[in-house]
């Protein structure tokens, strides 16, 4: 029997893309699951859950030094080396989830960049902060596809004023325009991606990874209020992932 990490490695080695007519479910069986992401969030159908306030969602993010930013041909991601943790909220009590990477999702048009939509409205960009359950599992590969294995914070992004926390990232994106390109930035603080503490209302649902292998068992935490980036920062991301 193959270990989960071997399965993930084998599946991720298979080429895939977003071309019309490509059926991920033919290559990645998990993509045929019942709880697939992304989804449209209908705010009128969302149900208030007072239990989420019993243990507030809490982050203990630390500054990462010498972070590698990679263009893997599908998306751009920041790999983090520090022990930045997420606890509380909808996550199992007493469990810690470690921030593994930050992924950027955007489209060729400003109005159609996010993966999730809210009341069928898309945003120019969406950030995913990928966490894995260090209390139950020994690695992110082991956690993928398992119950309570992965938690993802999703942040919608709209065009407005410049986002200072992303400046170090957007400034070097033109240097990693093509698949396989990477670059190291001296410092990245994931705390700068989080909304103001007073604006941290969020939606929660159980879904899957949005890219192959599309494994389920993912707890999605989507902040209601979007971040803002400047038009220039959006244009800097017109690269070829």
């Amino acid at each position: 029997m193959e270990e989960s990490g071997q399965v993930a490695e084998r599946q991720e080695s298979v080429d895939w893309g977003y071309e019309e007519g490509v059926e991920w479910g033919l290559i990645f069986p998990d993509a045929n699951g019942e709880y697939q992401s992304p989804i449209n969030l209908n705010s009128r159908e969302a149900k208030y859950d007072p239990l989420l306030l019993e243990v507030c969602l809490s982050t203990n993010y630390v500054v990462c030094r010498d972070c590698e930013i990679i263009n893997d041909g599908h998306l751009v991601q920041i790999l983090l080396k520090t022990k930045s943790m997420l606890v509380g909220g909808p996550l199992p009590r007493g469990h810690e989830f470690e921030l593994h990477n930050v992924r950027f999702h955007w489209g060729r048009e400003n109005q159609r960049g996010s993966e999730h939509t809210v009341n069928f409205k898309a945003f120019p960009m969406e950030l995913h902060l990928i966490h894995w359950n260090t209390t139950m599992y020994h690695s992110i590969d082991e956690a993928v596809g398992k119950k309570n294995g992965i938690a993802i914070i999703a942040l919608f992004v709209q065009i407005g004023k410049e986002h200072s926390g992303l400046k170090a990232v957007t400034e070097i994106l033109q240097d990693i325009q093509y698949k396989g390109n990477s670059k190291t930035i001296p410092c990245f603080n994931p705390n700068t991606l989080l909304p103001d503490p007073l604006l941290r209302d969020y939606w929660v649902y159980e879904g899957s990874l949005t890219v192959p292998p599309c494994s389920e068992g993912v707890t999605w935490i989507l902040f209601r209020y979007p971040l803002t980036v400047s038009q220039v920062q959006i244009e800097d991301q017109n690269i070829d992932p």
Side-chain angles (χ1 to χ4, degrees):
M1 179 178 291
E2 292 179 289
E3 297 292 336
S4 60
Q6 293 174 319
V7 173
E9 182 178 353
R10 174 173 58 79
Q11 290 181 324
E12 289 178 359
S13 67
V14 178
D15 196 23
W16 56 272
Y18 293 98
E19 296 83 0
E20 185 175 353
V22 174
E23 294 291 341
W24 288 356
L26 297 177
I27 306 173
F28 306 98
D30 286 352
N32 300 310
E34 184 179 354
Y35 300 98
Q36 284 293 292
S37 301
I39 65 171
N40 173 63
L41 296 160
N42 188 328
S43 61
R44 292 184 178 181
E45 294 180 357
K47 297 179 180 179
Y48 173 71
D49 185 356
L51 295 178
L52 295 176
L53 296 177
E54 289 187 358
V55 180
C56 290
L57 185 69
S58 176
T59 57
N60 183 17
Y61 290 168
V62 295
V63 174
C64 178
R65 306 289 179 185
D66 298 325
C67 293
E68 187 176 18
I69 304 180
I70 299 173
N71 180 344
D72 67 5
H74 303 296
L75 48 80
V76 169
Q77 58 181 318
I78 306 173
L79 301 181
L80 303 174
K81 303 175 183 178
T82 50
K83 298 286 186 181
S84 291
M85 310 304 290
L86 174 70
V87 298
L91 304 177
R93 298 293 179 260
H95 288 218
E96 293 185 319
F97 287 71
E98 181 179 324
L99 179 60
H100 182 265
N101 61 60
V102 178
R103 296 179 178 180
F104 296 75
H105 296 269
W106 67 88
R108 298 191 182 278
E109 301 176 19
N110 283 349
Q111 291 76 27
R112 303 181 58 145
S114 64
E115 296 202 312
H116 291 85
T117 56
V118 179
N119 300 322
F120 298 102
K121 173 190 174 182
F123 290 82
M125 186 166 68
E126 185 174 334
L127 303 184
H128 292 167
L129 282 62
I130 316 294
H131 307 74
W132 63 282
N133 189 331
T134 60
T135 303
M136 294 182 67
Y137 305 105
H138 296 95
S139 70
I140 188 170
D141 283 343
E142 183 184 357
V144 167
K146 302 291 180 54
K147 181 177 176 61
N148 296 319
I150 302 293
I152 303 178
I153 288 180
L155 297 151
F156 296 113
V157 180
Q158 64 185 7
I159 296 175
K161 64 180 181 180
E162 180 181 80
H163 192 292
S164 59
L166 284 174
K167 190 172 182 180
V169 178
T170 57
E171 284 182 339
I172 61 91
L173 287 178
Q174 292 302 318
D175 297 331
I176 56 169
Q177 291 191 55
Y178 305 106
K179 179 179 179 180
N181 289 167
S182 65
K183 188 151 187 173
T184 300
I185 56 175
C187 178
F188 177 71
N189 184 357
N191 287 294
T192 62
L193 302 181
L194 300 175
D196 183 281
L198 297 178
L199 299 175
R200 294 190 183 178
D201 295 351
Y202 58 85
W203 294 289
V204 175
Y205 80 96
E206 295 298 316
S208 74
L209 300 178
T210 60
V211 297
C214 305
S215 306
E216 297 183 347
V218 174
T219 300
W220 280 94
I221 301 168
L222 301 102
F223 281 111
R224 175 182 175 187
Y225 297 102
L227 305 178
T228 61
V229 300
S230 68
Q231 181 66 45
V232 171
Q233 287 180 300
I234 283 285
E235 291 172 353
D236 284 343
Q237 298 185 63
N238 288 330
I239 62 177
D240 188 28

